[in-house]
């Protein structure tokens, strides 16, 4: 038995020495160590070995198995090393890596960051509210009568439970005044939704930036100064700003804000950019009724509010001709803003 095991070891090591590929390696492994392999068969012979020899034969069996296994492992490692060397033969590992494509911010994020930076410097804090709103926050509390066209099914997305997709960020004015006391000085960027036909200047989902400042003795001069400063920071210090009388249910007086802008090679043109006004006392009264206190007593507090379209701001700032470019995610468009 001991001699037989020696023979198996000699044969196995000789066979392993001649191996040049992985398939042959596996064949040899099976021939000696597999279920029907010669060493496995020899091990089965342990049964017939007389008891006094069992210890020696068992030890020898383990030695042979060990010798064959480690020879197989060493050969396998050698084959892998050879393969790796071949794979790296034509490769210069000292070459610099290929650069990864660099990401960038969406133009809307860029204008928003810019706008928020300027307004925060003036003491405005960020505020937010839900996109799925109640009619009360979106319309009633904002002094918008039941028969106002904005409340029409054809202009606003309603849910079956009576809630709606907010048509403007002005609802955040109400949300903020419900939980904060004066002075309130917030800006609220966010999405707004209207049932518009989609074209170059209209999307059914767009972005607004709302502002609200409420305290004692806030005046129209504060509103004008704030917005003039804001637009000059964004569009340049020589930008002309015009306040044109307008109507919003929740401000009185109300204005639309125009900027005089000059596209390259064209005559300067007034472009409408924002809505604004002094908070209507009816809004304070409704907020006070809901709060059940006098924090927004219309006899004591005044305030201004403004709202503008961020998409429009981006269009003007970057000369984007079609709003749809902002949502198509075409990298040829987006990479221009890196
Ligand atoms: N919410 C108005 C709009 O969507 C804009 C606005 C905001 C007007 C605040 C006045 C004050 O058109």
């Amino acid at each position: 038995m001991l001699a037989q095991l020696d023979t198996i070891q000699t044969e196995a090591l000789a066979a392993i020495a001649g191996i040049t590929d992985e398939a042959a390696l596996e064949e040899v492994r099976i021939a000696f160590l597999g279920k029907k392999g010669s060493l496995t068969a020899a091990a089965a012979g342990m049964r017939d070995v007389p008891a006094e020899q069992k210890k020696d034969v068992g030890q020898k069996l383990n030695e042979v198995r060990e010798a064959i296994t480690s020879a197989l492992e060493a050969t396998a490692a050698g084959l892998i090393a050879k393969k790796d060397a071949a794979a790296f033969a034509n490769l210069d590992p000292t070459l610099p890596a290929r650069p990864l494509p660099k990401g960038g911010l969406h133009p809307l994020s860029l204008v928003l960051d810019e706008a928020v930076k300027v307004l925060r410097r003036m003491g405005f804090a960020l505020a937010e509210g839900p996109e799925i709103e109640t009619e009360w926050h979106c319309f009633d509390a904002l002094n918008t009568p039941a028969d106002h066209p904005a409340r029409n099914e054809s202009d606003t997305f309603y849910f079956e439970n009576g809630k709606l997709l907010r048509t403007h960020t002005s609802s955040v004015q109400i949300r903020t005044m419900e939980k904060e006391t004066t002075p309130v000085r917030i800006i609220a960027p966010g999405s707004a939704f209207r049932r518009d036909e989609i074209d170059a200047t209209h999307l059914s989902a767009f972005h607004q930036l709302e502002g609200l400042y409420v305290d004692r003795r806030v005046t129209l001069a504060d509103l004008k100064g704030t917005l003039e400063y804001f637009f000059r920071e964004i569009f340049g210090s020589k930008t002309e700003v015009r306040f044109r009388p307008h109507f919003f249910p929740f401000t009185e007086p109300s204005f639309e804000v125009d900027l005089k802008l000059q596209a390259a090679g064209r005559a300067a043109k007034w472009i409408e950019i924002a809505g604004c006004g002094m908070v209507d006392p009816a809004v304070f009264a409704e907020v006070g009724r809901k709060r059940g206190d006098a924090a927004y007593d219309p006899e004591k507090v005044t305030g201004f509010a403004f709202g503008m379209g961020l998409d429009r701001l981006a269009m003007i700032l970057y000369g984007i001709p079609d709003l749809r470019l902002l949502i198509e995610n075409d990298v040829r468009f987006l990479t221009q803003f890196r």
Side-chain angles (χ1 to χ4, degrees):
M1 181 86 180
L2 290 174
Q4 191 200 344
L5 289 173
D6 270 332
T7 314
I8 293 175
Q9 172 163 349
T10 314
E11 279 173 11
L13 295 185
I16 293 169
I19 285 172
T20 52
D21 62 65
E22 279 168 6
L25 185 82
E26 181 63 5
E27 245 167 60
V28 170
R29 190 189 65 77
I30 291 170
F32 290 91
L33 304 179
K35 252 193 226 146
K36 293 180 184 146
S38 49
L39 189 67
T40 315
M46 273 296 279
R47 240 181 290 126
D48 306 322
V49 173
E52 69 274 13
Q53 288 176 29
K54 266 202 186 345
K55 186 168 169 248
D56 287 346
V57 175
Q59 208 165 13
K60 181 73 180 173
L61 190 68
N62 282 339
E63 280 168 23
V64 173
R65 183 181 289 121
E66 195 107 315
I68 299 177
T69 307
S70 61
L72 283 169
E73 279 169 5
T75 308
L79 287 177
I80 290 172
K82 231 157 106 192
K83 230 160 98 181
D84 284 352
F88 280 104
N90 295 315
L91 206 123
D92 180 355
T94 64
L95 282 176
R98 287 198 194 100
L100 287 171
K102 209 164 87 188
L105 289 176
H106 191 277
L108 271 179
S109 304
L110 292 173
V111 274
L112 176 57
D113 286 355
E114 200 53 43
V116 168
K117 214 160 69 189
V118 174
L119 288 159
R120 285 187 66 134
R121 241 179 8 239
M122 286 191 273
F124 287 86
L126 279 165
E128 54 180 14
E131 291 172 3
I132 297 175
E133 255 306 358
T134 66
E135 277 202 85
W136 185 78
H137 287 91
C138 196
F139 296 129
D140 299 288
L142 286 161
N143 197 35
T144 307
D147 60 356
H148 192 280
R151 301 183 70 142
N152 216 299
E153 287 269 353
S154 60
D155 289 320
T156 299
F157 294 105
Y158 285 92
F159 293 94
E160 273 167 13
N161 64 7
K163 289 201 172 180
L164 47 79
L165 288 177
R166 67 179 178 198
T167 56
H168 51 187
T169 45
S170 299
S171 51
V172 185
Q173 292 185 34
I174 304 301
R175 293 260 167 205
T176 305
M177 288 190 280
E178 266 184 290
K179 50 179 207 277
E180 313 277 348
T181 53
T182 55
V184 158
R185 197 175 337 175
I186 56 109
I187 43 172
S191 302
F193 308 86
R194 290 179 198 172
R195 295 184 67 154
D196 275 325
E197 284 297 332
I198 292 173
D199 63 26
T201 53
H202 295 88
L203 293 175
S204 51
F206 55 104
H207 304 86
Q208 288 192 327
L209 177 68
E210 192 82 13
L212 174 70
Y213 179 24
V214 183
D215 202 352
R216 283 162 194 257
R217 288 183 289 278
V218 176
T219 69
L220 187 51
D222 297 318
L223 170 59
K224 279 194 82 173
T226 301
L227 287 184
E228 273 175 11
Y229 176 79
F230 172 75
F231 287 118
R232 285 178 185 152
E233 283 295 295
I234 300 283
F235 289 98
S237 58
K238 298 212 168 59
T239 307
E240 282 184 63
V241 184
R242 173 172 86 178
F243 289 71
R244 187 164 35 77
H246 195 72
F247 174 81
F248 295 104
F250 39 91
T251 47
E252 178 60 32
S254 303
F255 306 89
E256 277 192 329
V257 184
D258 301 330
L259 301 181
K260 196 171 189 179
L261 293 170
Q262 186 157 19
R266 300 227 205 114
K269 214 167 65 178
W270 287 104
I271 292 177
E272 177 205 323
I273 187 78
C276 67
M278 301 307 291
V279 178
D280 195 306
V283 173
F284 291 140
E286 183 64 4
V287 165
R289 208 184 52 75
K290 180 77 180 288
R291 290 177 57 101
D293 66 15
Y296 289 88
D297 182 348
E299 297 297 327
K300 296 202 174 110
V301 299
T302 54
F304 69 68
F306 60 86
M308 68 189 89
L310 284 171
D311 313 78
R312 196 172 166 75
L313 212 58
M315 280 178 96
I316 297 171
L317 207 54
Y318 299 121
I320 298 168
D322 190 319
L323 259 186
R324 288 167 290 197
L325 287 164
L326 291 174
I327 58 168
E328 282 168 352
N329 281 337
D330 185 333
V331 287
R332 290 169 302 180
F333 170 73
L334 293 174
T335 50
Q336 297 176 61
F337 299 93
R338 280 216 290 251

